[in-house]
Amino acid sequence: SSDLPGAMQVGGGPYTLPVQIADATQLGSITLSITYDPKVLKAASVAEGAFLKNGNVPTVFTPKIDVAAGRVDITISRPAGAPGVSGSGLLGGVIFETTGAGPANIRVTASGSANSQAVAVQVAPISVVVR
């Protein structure tokens, strides 16, 4: 069979893809790029998670969806002077509608900063197959 280990089987929709971060240290801002096959999925909207709002700090949340390219770019930042956030949690969610069948080929890349220094960010790999 063609089932990928850990693949989420989705049909219909809409479907929310959570974007989690693990083991962050003093994270003050993050930029995420999520790419996918636009023949299979269409990003409808983006919601911010609670992680960078930790301590009731207001964040600047800037999502950009490019439907034709199959790409979502998200920037979330805490104000200058606010302490960074450590630990694991939900950065946000992308709400997808399905437009076809097959592997969605979702890839997430991320870069972050802590105390104005660039830091490596780990996001969980995601596998989605639309039936």
Side-chain angles (χ1 to χ4, degrees):
S1 89
S2 64
D3 289 355
L4 302 171
M8 289 183 227
Q9 310 291 322
V10 298
Y15 168 73
T16 302
L17 176 83
V19 181
Q20 311 266 359
I21 188 165
D23 303 323
T25 304
Q26 296 298 310
L27 189 70
S29 69
I30 190 163
T31 300
L32 298 160
S33 292
I34 302 161
T35 58
Y36 57 92
D37 186 341
K39 294 190 292 293
V40 177
L41 294 178
K42 174 185 165 193
S45 62
V46 184
E48 183 178 5
F51 183 73
L52 278 176
K53 292 176 176 284
N54 194 15
N56 291 323
V57 172
T59 56
V60 177
F61 175 69
T62 312
K64 188 177 105 211
I65 297 173
D66 185 334
V67 171
R71 182 181 174 112
V72 179
D73 292 299
I74 303 166
T75 302
I76 312 169
S77 56
R78 288 166 69 87
V85 184
S86 298
S88 304
L90 183 67
L91 291 168
V94 181
I95 295 146
F96 283 108
E97 294 163 0
T98 56
T99 57
N105 297 323
I106 295 173
R107 278 186 289 286
V108 182
T109 56
S111 60
S113 71
N115 302 322
S116 302
Q117 303 295 311
V119 291
V121 176
Q122 294 300 316
V123 288
I126 297 155
S127 178
V128 173
V129 176
V130 177
R131 295 286 181 224

